[in-house]
Amino acid sequence: MKQQTLAMAADQNVQYERYRRPTKRDAFMATMEQIVPWAELCSVIEPHYPKAGNGRPPVGLERMLRMYFVQHWFKLADAACEDALLDSTALRGFVGIDLGRERVPDATTLLKFRRLLEKHKLGEALFAKVGEVLQAHGMKVDTGTIVDGTIIGAPSSTKNADRQRDPEMHQTRKGQQWYFGMKLHIGVDSETGLAHSAVVTAANVHDKHPLPDLLHGQEKRVYGDCAYAAQQALIKGKARAAQDWTNQKVRKGSVTEELERMVNRIKSRVRARVEDVFGVVKRLWGFNKARYRGLAKNGTRAFVATALANIFLARKRLAA
């Protein structure tokens, strides 16, 4: 058993703080400590992670993964994440850092860890591993899939060293508003409300193009908004038995206008479940704007954020 340092004792010595109560952050971190499948996720990264023996010993893999997740959950840049760990006792306890024995991994170390995930496309692998863990806990992929896409904004300014916008991002119009950035497309199980597939594209790619990649092939029904209307051929090409339950475009002024609106509302009661995942990714995790240049870097962030959203939405089942 390691001897406790004064720094660790100061962090854990809460019995003298009579009026302290657990904060929302404390409760959140305690929940994530319990439900995140740390061993399984580390096993995905471990084959690619630097080994001890030559040069500077690497920081522990699970510690870096925890720091990386803290960066996602609290919308922190690399340097801000380092500062947050220096400042917060709760975050240091979660990551497992004793300032009496070791330094907080610096921003450059976190940057190299992110680049490792991007180089080996481990964002997709982590997303797939979370799906396996959820299915092992009884959350099976059912026979219905909800498909949807959301726009992730990117800086449109040309006031940078290259004097140009990110060439991998593009603009698109939604309604009367123009947006510049990328899109995150997901396929969500209609029963559990959890994402089982995800695709990242530039913003100008129509929602229908990634549709086959969002289906697992065993669907009986496919739900989506009007952007997926009249795509029966794409649906049948991946899921032969699937019925098209996407919202259809309403013909204004027709005698069946009210009936068409009523049918769309009924379908939307199921289709709306896709917004739970987007709500966590964009509102809780703060991924409503691209932080990096290029689709690959932001794609890794998108896959990891979606995986963490699945864990968060399934927290009651995972904690049982």
Side-chain angles (χ1 to χ4, degrees), residues 71-96:
Q71 181 180 41
H72 274 269
W73 290 327
F74 299 104
K75 318 166 196 176
L76 301 171
D78 296 338
C81 189
E82 179 186 353
D83 289 345
L85 288 173
L86 289 168
D87 182 65
S88 171
T89 301
L91 294 183
R92 282 200 304 276
F94 176 79
V95 176

PDB file of all heavy atoms in Angstrom, residues 71-96:
ATOM      1  N   GLN A  71     -11.835  16.115 -20.841  1.00  0.00           N
ATOM      2  CA  GLN A  71     -11.811  17.158 -21.864  1.00  0.00           C
ATOM      3  C   GLN A  71     -13.122  17.194 -22.640  1.00  0.00           C
ATOM      4  O   GLN A  71     -13.648  18.281 -22.934  1.00  0.00           O
ATOM      5  CB  GLN A  71     -10.639  16.909 -22.814  1.00  0.00           C
ATOM      6  CG  GLN A  71     -10.501  17.960 -23.909  1.00  0.00           C
ATOM      7  CD  GLN A  71      -9.337  17.680 -24.828  1.00  0.00           C
ATOM      8  OE1 GLN A  71      -9.091  16.538 -25.209  1.00  0.00           O
ATOM      9  NE2 GLN A  71      -8.604  18.707 -25.194  1.00  0.00           N
ATOM     10  N   HIS A  72     -13.681  16.040 -22.966  1.00  0.00           N
ATOM     11  CA  HIS A  72     -14.964  15.975 -23.672  1.00  0.00           C
ATOM     12  C   HIS A  72     -16.101  16.490 -22.798  1.00  0.00           C
ATOM     13  O   HIS A  72     -16.923  17.307 -23.239  1.00  0.00           O
ATOM     14  CB  HIS A  72     -15.260  14.531 -24.090  1.00  0.00           C
ATOM     15  CG  HIS A  72     -14.646  14.143 -25.387  1.00  0.00           C
ATOM     16  ND1 HIS A  72     -15.273  14.280 -26.596  1.00  0.00           N
ATOM     17  CD2 HIS A  72     -13.434  13.612 -25.670  1.00  0.00           C
ATOM     18  CE1 HIS A  72     -14.494  13.866 -27.571  1.00  0.00           C
ATOM     19  NE2 HIS A  72     -13.363  13.444 -27.031  1.00  0.00           N
ATOM     20  N   TRP A  73     -16.199  15.987 -21.586  1.00  0.00           N
ATOM     21  CA  TRP A  73     -17.342  16.283 -20.733  1.00  0.00           C
ATOM     22  C   TRP A  73     -17.442  17.757 -20.357  1.00  0.00           C
ATOM     23  O   TRP A  73     -18.530  18.291 -20.243  1.00  0.00           O
ATOM     24  CB  TRP A  73     -17.270  15.433 -19.464  1.00  0.00           C
ATOM     25  CG  TRP A  73     -17.510  13.982 -19.704  1.00  0.00           C
ATOM     26  CD1 TRP A  73     -18.335  13.424 -20.636  1.00  0.00           C
ATOM     27  CD2 TRP A  73     -16.909  12.875 -19.003  1.00  0.00           C
ATOM     28  NE1 TRP A  73     -18.295  12.052 -20.565  1.00  0.00           N
ATOM     29  CE2 TRP A  73     -17.434  11.686 -19.580  1.00  0.00           C
ATOM     30  CE3 TRP A  73     -16.002  12.770 -17.949  1.00  0.00           C
ATOM     31  CZ2 TRP A  73     -17.074  10.422 -19.126  1.00  0.00           C
ATOM     32  CZ3 TRP A  73     -15.635  11.510 -17.507  1.00  0.00           C
ATOM     33  CH2 TRP A  73     -16.166  10.350 -18.084  1.00  0.00           C
ATOM     34  N   PHE A  74     -16.289  18.416 -20.190  1.00  0.00           N
ATOM     35  CA  PHE A  74     -16.304  19.787 -19.700  1.00  0.00           C
ATOM     36  C   PHE A  74     -15.838  20.799 -20.743  1.00  0.00           C
ATOM     37  O   PHE A  74     -15.511  21.931 -20.403  1.00  0.00           O
ATOM     38  CB  PHE A  74     -15.463  19.887 -18.419  1.00  0.00           C
ATOM     39  CG  PHE A  74     -15.986  19.016 -17.315  1.00  0.00           C
ATOM     40  CD1 PHE A  74     -15.355  17.833 -16.983  1.00  0.00           C
ATOM     41  CD2 PHE A  74     -17.147  19.346 -16.635  1.00  0.00           C
ATOM     42  CE1 PHE A  74     -15.846  17.003 -15.983  1.00  0.00           C
ATOM     43  CE2 PHE A  74     -17.653  18.536 -15.633  1.00  0.00           C
ATOM     44  CZ  PHE A  74     -17.001  17.364 -15.301  1.00  0.00           C
ATOM     45  N   LYS A  75     -15.810  20.376 -22.026  1.00  0.00           N
ATOM     46  CA  LYS A  75     -15.593  21.277 -23.166  1.00  0.00           C
ATOM     47  C   LYS A  75     -14.281  22.041 -23.029  1.00  0.00           C
ATOM     48  O   LYS A  75     -14.237  23.270 -23.160  1.00  0.00           O
ATOM     49  CB  LYS A  75     -16.758  22.269 -23.294  1.00  0.00           C
ATOM     50  CG  LYS A  75     -18.129  21.672 -23.086  1.00  0.00           C
ATOM     51  CD  LYS A  75     -19.188  22.728 -22.897  1.00  0.00           C
ATOM     52  CE  LYS A  75     -20.458  22.151 -22.324  1.00  0.00           C
ATOM     53  NZ  LYS A  75     -21.477  23.169 -22.048  1.00  0.00           N
ATOM     54  N   LEU A  76     -13.195  21.330 -22.774  1.00  0.00           N
ATOM     55  CA  LEU A  76     -11.918  21.961 -22.475  1.00  0.00           C
ATOM     56  C   LEU A  76     -10.920  21.784 -23.610  1.00  0.00           C
ATOM     57  O   LEU A  76     -10.804  20.702 -24.182  1.00  0.00           O
ATOM     58  CB  LEU A  76     -11.326  21.363 -21.198  1.00  0.00           C
ATOM     59  CG  LEU A  76     -12.180  21.491 -19.922  1.00  0.00           C
ATOM     60  CD1 LEU A  76     -11.575  20.663 -18.805  1.00  0.00           C
ATOM     61  CD2 LEU A  76     -12.300  22.944 -19.512  1.00  0.00           C
ATOM     62  N   ALA A  77     -10.179  22.841 -23.912  1.00  0.00           N
ATOM     63  CA  ALA A  77      -9.027  22.726 -24.801  1.00  0.00           C
ATOM     64  C   ALA A  77      -7.907  22.014 -24.039  1.00  0.00           C
ATOM     65  O   ALA A  77      -8.002  21.785 -22.830  1.00  0.00           O
ATOM     66  CB  ALA A  77      -8.581  24.115 -25.262  1.00  0.00           C
ATOM     67  N   ASP A  78      -6.836  21.665 -24.733  1.00  0.00           N
ATOM     68  CA  ASP A  78      -5.762  20.896 -24.116  1.00  0.00           C
ATOM     69  C   ASP A  78      -5.177  21.615 -22.899  1.00  0.00           C
ATOM     70  O   ASP A  78      -5.051  21.033 -21.815  1.00  0.00           O
ATOM     71  CB  ASP A  78      -4.656  20.621 -25.136  1.00  0.00           C
ATOM     72  CG  ASP A  78      -5.137  19.755 -26.291  1.00  0.00           C
ATOM     73  OD1 ASP A  78      -6.148  19.047 -26.119  1.00  0.00           O
ATOM     74  OD2 ASP A  78      -4.509  19.783 -27.358  1.00  0.00           O
ATOM     75  N   ALA A  79      -4.808  22.889 -23.073  1.00  0.00           N
ATOM     76  CA  ALA A  79      -4.220  23.646 -21.968  1.00  0.00           C
ATOM     77  C   ALA A  79      -5.236  23.877 -20.862  1.00  0.00           C
ATOM     78  O   ALA A  79      -4.895  23.835 -19.671  1.00  0.00           O
ATOM     79  CB  ALA A  79      -3.679  24.975 -22.482  1.00  0.00           C
ATOM     80  N   ALA A  80      -6.486  24.103 -21.230  1.00  0.00           N
ATOM     81  CA  ALA A  80      -7.531  24.320 -20.218  1.00  0.00           C
ATOM     82  C   ALA A  80      -7.784  23.058 -19.410  1.00  0.00           C
ATOM     83  O   ALA A  80      -8.097  23.124 -18.218  1.00  0.00           O
ATOM     84  CB  ALA A  80      -8.815  24.786 -20.894  1.00  0.00           C
ATOM     85  N   CYS A  81      -7.647  21.891 -20.049  1.00  0.00           N
ATOM     86  CA  CYS A  81      -7.826  20.631 -19.329  1.00  0.00           C
ATOM     87  C   CYS A  81      -6.709  20.439 -18.304  1.00  0.00           C
ATOM     88  O   CYS A  81      -6.955  20.005 -17.171  1.00  0.00           O
ATOM     89  CB  CYS A  81      -7.841  19.464 -20.321  1.00  0.00           C
ATOM     90  SG  CYS A  81      -8.297  17.883 -19.587  1.00  0.00           S
ATOM     91  N   GLU A  82      -5.473  20.775 -18.685  1.00  0.00           N
ATOM     92  CA  GLU A  82      -4.361  20.702 -17.735  1.00  0.00           C
ATOM     93  C   GLU A  82      -4.610  21.626 -16.546  1.00  0.00           C
ATOM     94  O   GLU A  82      -4.431  21.235 -15.385  1.00  0.00           O
ATOM     95  CB  GLU A  82      -3.061  21.094 -18.443  1.00  0.00           C
ATOM     96  CG  GLU A  82      -1.840  21.074 -17.531  1.00  0.00           C
ATOM     97  CD  GLU A  82      -0.593  21.612 -18.218  1.00  0.00           C
ATOM     98  OE1 GLU A  82      -0.647  21.877 -19.438  1.00  0.00           O
ATOM     99  OE2 GLU A  82       0.429  21.768 -17.529  1.00  0.00           O
ATOM    100  N   ASP A  83      -5.048  22.858 -16.822  1.00  0.00           N
ATOM    101  CA  ASP A  83      -5.314  23.812 -15.738  1.00  0.00           C
ATOM    102  C   ASP A  83      -6.454  23.339 -14.841  1.00  0.00           C
ATOM    103  O   ASP A  83      -6.415  23.519 -13.620  1.00  0.00           O
ATOM    104  CB  ASP A  83      -5.657  25.185 -16.323  1.00  0.00           C
ATOM    105  CG  ASP A  83      -4.449  25.867 -16.944  1.00  0.00           C
ATOM    106  OD1 ASP A  83      -3.309  25.428 -16.670  1.00  0.00           O
ATOM    107  OD2 ASP A  83      -4.645  26.834 -17.703  1.00  0.00           O
ATOM    108  N   ALA A  84      -7.481  22.731 -15.446  1.00  0.00           N
ATOM    109  CA  ALA A  84      -8.621  22.255 -14.660  1.00  0.00           C
ATOM    110  C   ALA A  84      -8.201  21.167 -13.679  1.00  0.00           C
ATOM    111  O   ALA A  84      -8.674  21.120 -12.535  1.00  0.00           O
ATOM    112  CB  ALA A  84      -9.719  21.745 -15.584  1.00  0.00           C
ATOM    113  N   LEU A  85      -7.296  20.284 -14.111  1.00  0.00           N
ATOM    114  CA  LEU A  85      -6.817  19.229 -13.219  1.00  0.00           C
ATOM    115  C   LEU A  85      -5.964  19.805 -12.089  1.00  0.00           C
ATOM    116  O   LEU A  85      -6.003  19.314 -10.959  1.00  0.00           O
ATOM    117  CB  LEU A  85      -6.019  18.194 -14.005  1.00  0.00           C
ATOM    118  CG  LEU A  85      -6.840  17.282 -14.913  1.00  0.00           C
ATOM    119  CD1 LEU A  85      -5.925  16.425 -15.774  1.00  0.00           C
ATOM    120  CD2 LEU A  85      -7.759  16.397 -14.104  1.00  0.00           C
ATOM    121  N   LEU A  86      -5.201  20.838 -12.376  1.00  0.00           N
ATOM    122  CA  LEU A  86      -4.421  21.495 -11.327  1.00  0.00           C
ATOM    123  C   LEU A  86      -5.329  22.202 -10.332  1.00  0.00           C
ATOM    124  O   LEU A  86      -5.016  22.295  -9.147  1.00  0.00           O
ATOM    125  CB  LEU A  86      -3.446  22.503 -11.955  1.00  0.00           C
ATOM    126  CG  LEU A  86      -2.260  21.913 -12.722  1.00  0.00           C
ATOM    127  CD1 LEU A  86      -1.554  23.000 -13.516  1.00  0.00           C
ATOM    128  CD2 LEU A  86      -1.301  21.226 -11.772  1.00  0.00           C
ATOM    129  N   ASP A  87      -6.465  22.665 -10.807  1.00  0.00           N
ATOM    130  CA  ASP A  87      -7.356  23.479  -9.977  1.00  0.00           C
ATOM    131  C   ASP A  87      -8.372  22.661  -9.192  1.00  0.00           C
ATOM    132  O   ASP A  87      -8.746  23.025  -8.081  1.00  0.00           O
ATOM    133  CB  ASP A  87      -8.088  24.484 -10.879  1.00  0.00           C
ATOM    134  CG  ASP A  87      -9.011  25.402 -10.093  1.00  0.00           C
ATOM    135  OD1 ASP A  87      -8.508  26.185  -9.284  1.00  0.00           O
ATOM    136  OD2 ASP A  87     -10.243  25.314 -10.294  1.00  0.00           O
ATOM    137  N   SER A  88      -8.846  21.537  -9.750  1.00  0.00           N
ATOM    138  CA  SER A  88      -9.991  20.825  -9.187  1.00  0.00           C
ATOM    139  C   SER A  88      -9.573  19.537  -8.483  1.00  0.00           C
ATOM    140  O   SER A  88      -9.000  18.638  -9.103  1.00  0.00           O
ATOM    141  CB  SER A  88     -11.010  20.504 -10.292  1.00  0.00           C
ATOM    142  OG  SER A  88     -12.021  19.651  -9.804  1.00  0.00           O
ATOM    143  N   THR A  89      -9.922  19.451  -7.201  1.00  0.00           N
ATOM    144  CA  THR A  89      -9.674  18.225  -6.445  1.00  0.00           C
ATOM    145  C   THR A  89     -10.502  17.070  -6.997  1.00  0.00           C
ATOM    146  O   THR A  89     -10.028  15.934  -7.095  1.00  0.00           O
ATOM    147  CB  THR A  89     -10.020  18.439  -4.960  1.00  0.00           C
ATOM    148  OG1 THR A  89      -9.227  19.503  -4.446  1.00  0.00           O
ATOM    149  CG2 THR A  89      -9.759  17.183  -4.150  1.00  0.00           C
ATOM    150  N   ALA A  90     -11.754  17.348  -7.384  1.00  0.00           N
ATOM    151  CA  ALA A  90     -12.641  16.298  -7.893  1.00  0.00           C
ATOM    152  C   ALA A  90     -12.091  15.689  -9.182  1.00  0.00           C
ATOM    153  O   ALA A  90     -12.093  14.465  -9.352  1.00  0.00           O
ATOM    154  CB  ALA A  90     -14.043  16.865  -8.127  1.00  0.00           C
ATOM    155  N   LEU A  91     -11.588  16.534 -10.083  1.00  0.00           N
ATOM    156  CA  LEU A  91     -11.070  16.026 -11.344  1.00  0.00           C
ATOM    157  C   LEU A  91      -9.769  15.256 -11.133  1.00  0.00           C
ATOM    158  O   LEU A  91      -9.544  14.222 -11.771  1.00  0.00           O
ATOM    159  CB  LEU A  91     -10.852  17.178 -12.329  1.00  0.00           C
ATOM    160  CG  LEU A  91     -12.106  17.916 -12.804  1.00  0.00           C
ATOM    161  CD1 LEU A  91     -11.747  18.973 -13.830  1.00  0.00           C
ATOM    162  CD2 LEU A  91     -13.143  16.962 -13.362  1.00  0.00           C
ATOM    163  N   ARG A  92      -8.915  15.736 -10.236  1.00  0.00           N
ATOM    164  CA  ARG A  92      -7.677  15.004  -9.949  1.00  0.00           C
ATOM    165  C   ARG A  92      -7.977  13.634  -9.352  1.00  0.00           C
ATOM    166  O   ARG A  92      -7.340  12.634  -9.691  1.00  0.00           O
ATOM    167  CB  ARG A  92      -6.780  15.795  -8.982  1.00  0.00           C
ATOM    168  CG  ARG A  92      -6.025  16.924  -9.617  1.00  0.00           C
ATOM    169  CD  ARG A  92      -4.837  17.337  -8.765  1.00  0.00           C
ATOM    170  NE  ARG A  92      -5.201  17.708  -7.407  1.00  0.00           N
ATOM    171  CZ  ARG A  92      -5.620  18.899  -7.028  1.00  0.00           C
ATOM    172  NH1 ARG A  92      -5.736  19.866  -7.921  1.00  0.00           N
ATOM    173  NH2 ARG A  92      -5.914  19.151  -5.768  1.00  0.00           N
ATOM    174  N   GLY A  93      -8.968  13.569  -8.465  1.00  0.00           N
ATOM    175  CA  GLY A  93      -9.338  12.283  -7.890  1.00  0.00           C
ATOM    176  C   GLY A  93      -9.876  11.327  -8.927  1.00  0.00           C
ATOM    177  O   GLY A  93      -9.593  10.124  -8.894  1.00  0.00           O
ATOM    178  N   PHE A  94     -10.637  11.848  -9.882  1.00  0.00           N
ATOM    179  CA  PHE A  94     -11.204  11.002 -10.932  1.00  0.00           C
ATOM    180  C   PHE A  94     -10.100  10.459 -11.849  1.00  0.00           C
ATOM    181  O   PHE A  94     -10.094   9.276 -12.197  1.00  0.00           O
ATOM    182  CB  PHE A  94     -12.221  11.797 -11.751  1.00  0.00           C
ATOM    183  CG  PHE A  94     -12.796  11.048 -12.910  1.00  0.00           C
ATOM    184  CD1 PHE A  94     -13.805  10.111 -12.723  1.00  0.00           C
ATOM    185  CD2 PHE A  94     -12.339  11.261 -14.201  1.00  0.00           C
ATOM    186  CE1 PHE A  94     -14.327   9.399 -13.794  1.00  0.00           C
ATOM    187  CE2 PHE A  94     -12.858  10.564 -15.275  1.00  0.00           C
ATOM    188  CZ  PHE A  94     -13.858   9.632 -15.065  1.00  0.00           C
ATOM    189  N   VAL A  95      -9.164  11.334 -12.236  1.00  0.00           N
ATOM    190  CA  VAL A  95      -8.088  10.917 -13.133  1.00  0.00           C
ATOM    191  C   VAL A  95      -7.067  10.064 -12.390  1.00  0.00           C
ATOM    192  O   VAL A  95      -6.407   9.209 -12.983  1.00  0.00           O
ATOM    193  CB  VAL A  95      -7.434  12.153 -13.790  1.00  0.00           C
ATOM    194  CG1 VAL A  95      -6.253  11.759 -14.658  1.00  0.00           C
ATOM    195  CG2 VAL A  95      -8.468  12.893 -14.641  1.00  0.00           C
ATOM    196  N   GLY A  96      -6.949  10.274 -11.066  1.00  0.00           N
ATOM    197  CA  GLY A  96      -6.020   9.483 -10.267  1.00  0.00           C
ATOM    198  C   GLY A  96      -4.647  10.106 -10.161  1.00  0.00           C
ATOM    199  O   GLY A  96      -3.637   9.419 -10.332  1.00  0.00           O
TER     200      GLY A  96
END
